[in-house]
Amino acid sequence: MNYYVYLLTNANKTVLYTGVTNNLVRRVYEHKNHLDKGSFTSQYNVENLVYYEVTTNIEAAIEREKQIKSWNRKRKNKLVDSKNPSWEDLYETIL
């Protein structure tokens, strides 16, 4: 089974969210459609997938999520820039 560590942003790219899931398509769909009304991503309209990584090890995925969450914004920006310099929404590419 694959596990994904992912970063989402809002339309203005002012907010970043880091998450982990075993089904990236489903999870991003949930964010885009604000299915959890009280969530951080729903409150701040964080719905654009700008970065993700894949692993087959859940422990590694959780550890990586924690690592990225501990970084400052500049370092997270560099991570996104390394794979997606235009910060395009990658959702259509994973469908």
Side-chain angles (χ1 to χ4, degrees):
M1 176 175 281
N2 286 333
Y3 300 93
Y4 304 86
V5 178
Y6 63 95
L7 277 80
L8 302 174
T9 193
N10 60 346
N12 294 326
K13 299 169 182 61
T14 55
V15 178
L16 275 177
Y17 172 84
T18 306
V20 65
T21 186
N22 66 347
N23 186 329
L24 189 59
V25 172
R26 174 190 48 79
R27 191 67 182 115
V28 175
Y29 175 87
E30 292 170 354
H31 289 298
K32 285 185 168 298
N33 291 283
H34 307 282
L35 297 185
D36 184 358
K37 300 294 182 204
S39 71
F40 176 87
T41 56
S42 182
Q43 289 176 329
Y44 292 94
N45 294 313
V46 179
E47 56 188 45
N48 296 322
L49 176 67
V50 291
Y51 180 87
Y52 66 94
E53 299 175 0
V54 184
T55 183
T56 57
N57 182 303
I58 185 59
E59 290 86 9
I62 292 168
E63 211 37 55
R64 181 66 168 156
E65 178 197 27
K66 289 178 183 177
Q67 179 186 46
I68 293 170
K69 282 184 172 185
S70 74
W71 292 354
N72 64 30
R73 177 61 191 254
K74 183 177 178 180
R75 189 166 180 187
K76 291 175 189 177
N77 287 355
K78 285 177 71 173
L79 180 65
V80 174
D81 288 341
S82 72
K83 300 271 173 109
N84 186 4
S86 60
W87 288 54
E88 293 178 43
D89 186 357
L90 302 174
Y91 184 63
E92 293 294 324
T93 69
I94 63 169
L95 294 178

